[in-house]
Every structure is written in structure tokens, then in C-alpha cells.
Amino acid sequence: MGFPIYLDYCATTPVDPEVSEAMIACLQHPQGFGNPSSRSHYYGLQASQQIERARRQVSDLINAKPQEIIWTSGATEANNLALQGLASNFEINNCHIISSKIEHSSILNVCQQLQQRGARLSYLATDQYGLIDSQQLLSQITENTRLVSLSHVNNEIGVIQNIQAIGRQLRQRGILFHVDAVQSVGKLPINVKTMNIDLMSLSAHKVYGPKGIGALYIREDLQSLLSPQLYGGGQEFGLRSGTLATHQIIGMGTAFKLAKQKLASESQQLMLLRNRLWNGLKKIEAVVCHGSLEHRIASNLNVGFKGIKAETLMMACPDIAVSSGSACYSMQQQASHVLMAIGCSETLAQSSIRFSLGRFTTAEEIDQTIELVTEKVKQLRSLAKKNDYCYHYACP
Ligand code: PMP
């Protein structure tokens, strides 16, 4: 038997073979193992040169300067460093931060911490399509607003926010703008300069790179405003101490280089496959697609199957690897806060599945998925009807 069809690319991506080759070469060759901070000898210098090349590869994809990239262990750390690092320099009791109700837990939980320390937080609502209205954002700004933190693309529904318009407004008002670009980098063109982004969080493992490595972009002239959250040897311009994980960084650099080459053609291909999937699934009775289809990355589809628990459907389809909501919540079996924020009932949120496609998805896999899901939904619904429990198409 083959492996299940992988349609959970928003949770993580397989490592691209070119990335793993570059990482293995780093681990196996004498040019790779040196401590990149040991610049007094050949080995350290070799490692350091490779790290600087990776820094350029990452900065190239987002039009930043290499010195504006700080390596971290992933986007969770980058989000923590951005928000906590800035907040340490704000007068916390006079500090207002704006974020949104549909952020990832690595933003929401940091915001909660800052709130407990005395900051005032506002969480923007979205419309039923998952979009944030920039007028609503402007109306929340006060003279104490220091920072706005929003994700570019939502990890559950794939909806794209108008970061450029928001960035322009915030820059005019001198308010710092942090963007979580984990789900957009490599999928959408990003230019931190024209989009007026001051800080941005990145992760390698959503872009066919390894887990455990990410980066924070921070505008060069703002670096003195950021307090490190880890103290030690003063690596990364003093902003993030710790010996750099050379092989991971080389993996991220290679992944970002590939993303730049493939971005346009890949998103066209994914759009075709995603539309094929939705055209197939929408033939099933009583299904809904959550979030805007128009303002959405090509690879994401989030579908509610009314009257069926997502967990039950996923258990009935072990040959497809998908998820209900964010991977970070999947152990908790809670209804998705994102779906609830866009107006879904708890029941419908718990009946929803995220399908996310990627570089290695094929048309055959999409067709098999449509066939399997259609069959299982029918079976589960007729079973529920027979047993006369919890069967309500008009799920509130
Ligand atoms: N932000 C978003 C929007 C994400 O989707 C994720 C990963 N699910 C993260 C942050 C955390 O990234 P990492 O896994 O690199 O810590």
C-alpha cells in the first residue's frame, strides 16, 4: 500500500530534495561543521560564508537587506522576539497594540502575556470572508498605539489581507507594523519596502525547508528598538544569541532560493488543482467553502461538511492526510477560533476540514480525494440518518 495523499501543506511541507542535498552536504563536508562565530580559522569562516549566502537568499525573496534578517528557531520565536522584544522598550502601561481575532496562537498567546503585563490590546474582527477592513483598523488607533501585528495570509482559511494598504496608512502615522508572513512567503510576492513592513516573521518548514529554523526581518534603522529575548554570545547583531545551526540555515536559504524561482509557475499550477478540488467537492450536498475564494492563496481550501464531525470524516478517510483547523490546535479538538471569528457556528466549525495543496500534489491525487470524500460523506450521512442522530443539514 502506498502512503496517504498529503494535503496538509499549510501545517508543514516535505523538504525539497535540493534542500536536503544542500543540508547533507553541509553536515558531511569539512566546510560545513565549523562554528560560524569562529572566524579566526578556515572552518569557522567557511560556515560563516555559507550562512551569509543563506541570509542573502532569504532577504532576496522579500526585498530586504541581508543585515535585516535575524535567524531564529522558527516563526513562533520570531513572533515572540518581535512583540516581546519591542514591548520591552515601550512603556508598557501606556502601550496599545492592535492585532486580530484570527491570528495564530504564537501571536495571540504573546498578546495575552503583554496584556497581563499591562499593555492594552485590541483585536480586530473580520468580515464573513475573513478580511480585515482597514477603516476599522484606523478607527482603533489611539495616541498610544505603538504596534500593529497581523498575518499576511491566514493559516486556516488562506485568506490574504491587504498588507500594502495597511502598511501605507501605518507608516504615515509612525506606527510600527509587524507581519506574520509564514503562510504567504514563497506563495505570494512580498516586498517589505513597498509594503511598508517594519518586522516580518518567516519559517522554513512551510516553504519546503527544514523544521526548527526561521527568521525575523527587522528594518535596519529599528534594530536598536528591539530587546533580545535570549542573552549569550551576542550572535545575530546582539539580538538573538546562540550558536547558529548552519545546516538548518543552509536549508532555509536553499528553500527560499527555490521559492523565488518557482513562485509564479507554482501558484498557477496550484490554483488549477485547488479549483479542480473545489469543483469536485462542491457537488456534494450541503458543503460550504470558508473564507473568500477571491482573496486567497492558491493552495488552500477550507470546507465545512454540514452534519458531519470533521474528526469522524478524517477517521473514515485514512488515505488522505488533511486537518481540521490549525495543526497547533489539532490535539485539543477545540472548534477553530478562526472559523468562529468569521461567523461559523461551533457545530459547523467542528465539521470543517482544511485541504492544503503543494509542490508535489498531482491531479490524480485530487481526483482520488474527491472520490473518496464524496463516498465517505454519503456513507456517514446515511448512517447518521438511519441512526437518527445529529443529522441536520441546516446546521446552525
Ligand atoms: N504563524 C503562522 C501563521 C503559522 O501558520 C505558524 C505555523 N503553523 C507559525 C506562526 C509558527 O511557525 P513555526 O512552526 O515555525 O514556529
Side-chain angles (χ1 to χ4, degrees):
M1 204 198 83
F3 290 109
I5 297 168
Y6 188 71
L7 291 178
D8 203 10
Y9 281 80
C10 280
T12 196
T13 54
V15 173
D16 190 283
E18 196 175 324
V19 171
S20 46
E21 265 167 43
M23 293 177 71
I24 291 166
C26 167
L27 289 166
Q28 289 183 340
H29 290 283
Q31 285 100 330
F33 82 88
N35 186 328
S37 299
S38 308
R39 294 195 204 134
S40 57
H41 56 67
Y42 173 84
Y43 298 99
L45 279 172
Q46 286 291 321
S48 160
Q49 278 168 15
Q50 296 190 61
I51 282 178
E52 294 319 311
R53 188 176 59 212
R55 210 188 290 277
R56 283 194 300 278
Q57 288 166 326
V58 170
S59 63
D60 264 3
L61 184 59
I62 58 168
N63 194 35
K65 298 178 193 159
Q67 63 271 28
E68 294 177 319
I69 302 296
I70 313 291
W71 301 115
T72 61
S73 61
T76 299
E77 186 190 334
N79 283 341
N80 273 266
L81 177 58
L83 270 60
Q84 309 230 53
L86 286 175
S88 306
N89 281 310
F90 298 154
E91 202 191 315
I92 200 82
N93 292 317
N94 284 322
C95 163
H96 177 225
I97 298 171
I98 301 177
S99 189
S100 92
K101 292 186 176 170
I102 61 163
E103 296 306 309
H104 187 261
S105 50
S106 59
I107 290 291
L108 290 177
N109 289 339
V110 182
C111 286
Q112 209 183 348
Q113 280 298 314
L114 295 176
Q115 215 163 352
Q116 279 166 13
R117 282 169 43 198
R120 197 168 80 75
L121 265 292
S122 300
Y123 299 96
L124 301 171
T126 72
D127 64 14
Q128 59 176 317
Y129 304 107
L131 292 162
I132 289 167
D133 171 20
S134 56
Q135 289 310 314
Q136 186 210 163
L137 166 56
L138 296 182
S139 72
Q140 302 272 330
I141 291 174
T142 69
E143 57 178 8
N144 288 336
T145 307
R146 305 298 305 271
L147 172 70
V148 173
S149 175
L150 296 174
S151 49
H152 189 187
V153 164
N154 181 268
N155 56 310
E156 294 189 32
I157 52 177
V159 169
I160 306 166
Q161 304 300 338
N162 191 346
I163 292 299
Q164 183 146 1
I166 296 172
R168 194 179 330 114
Q169 301 277 7
L170 295 177
R171 185 65 59 86
Q172 279 168 7
R173 290 163 177 77
I175 296 168
L176 294 175
F177 190 23
H178 166 255
V179 174
D180 177 339
V182 170
Q183 298 287 347
S184 60
V185 74
K187 297 174 187 141
L188 298 174
I190 297 181
N191 181 331
V192 288
K193 303 296 171 206
T194 58
M195 292 166 100
N196 290 309
I197 299 170
D198 298 312
L199 302 100
M200 193 166 80
S201 300
L202 304 167
S203 183
H205 75 98
K206 315 276 183 177
V207 196
Y208 310 94
K211 292 166 191 55
I213 183 74
L216 178 69
Y217 150 79
I218 173 161
R219 228 176 75 194
E220 200 175 11
D221 56 322
L222 296 176
Q223 296 191 353
S224 59
L225 289 183
L226 195 74
S227 287
Q229 301 300 298
L230 292 176
Y231 292 91
Q235 288 90 343
E236 296 303 278
F237 322 109
L239 293 174
R240 201 277 189 176
S241 287
T243 302
L244 293 174
T246 317
H247 59 297
Q248 302 286 85
I249 290 171
I250 286 171
M252 180 158 173
T254 310
F256 275 50
K257 177 197 78 176
L258 287 177
K260 191 171 182 187
Q261 292 164 0
K262 293 177 189 276
L263 195 147
S265 61
E266 209 160 78
S267 44
Q268 256 182 4
Q269 168 71 5
L270 286 170
M271 180 79 83
L272 291 174
L273 291 174
R274 197 269 317 276
N275 291 347
R276 190 182 180 111
L277 179 61
W278 180 227
N279 286 334
L281 293 181
K282 73 181 179 195
K283 292 191 186 127
I284 305 174
E285 208 180 328
V287 295
V288 280
C289 168
H290 298 301
S292 164
L293 261 177
E294 188 190 342
H295 302 280
R296 192 189 198 99
I297 48 164
S299 54
N300 172 295
L301 192 64
N302 194 315
V303 182
F305 298 90
K306 293 184 181 176
I308 299 178
K309 280 232 178 234
E311 304 302 322
T312 315
L313 183 54
M314 288 193 300
M315 258 162 32
C317 301
D319 292 333
I320 309 171
V322 286
S323 66
S324 58
S326 158
C328 311
Y329 287 113
S330 65
M331 306 305 283
Q332 299 169 21
Q333 305 222 340
Q334 273 173 7
S336 150
H337 71 285
V338 174
L339 296 183
M340 307 261 283
I342 66 169
C344 274
S345 66
E346 196 172 338
T347 322
L348 184 55
Q350 282 178 331
S351 303
S352 301
I353 288 185
R354 177 183 68 183
F355 298 86
S356 46
L357 291 55
R359 187 168 292 169
F360 306 109
T361 307
T362 63
E364 292 73 49
E365 289 179 324
I366 295 299
D367 293 343
Q368 283 170 24
T369 302
I370 297 167
E371 202 179 314
L372 216 93
V373 172
T374 307
E375 183 193 319
K376 294 297 171 191
V377 168
K378 274 191 193 141
Q379 271 177 17
L380 289 170
R381 281 184 176 154
S382 64
L383 198 72
K385 212 172 190 175
K386 225 167 43 200
N387 293 339
D388 197 29
Y389 65 81
C390 183
Y391 184 69
H392 39 115
Y393 270 177
C395 218

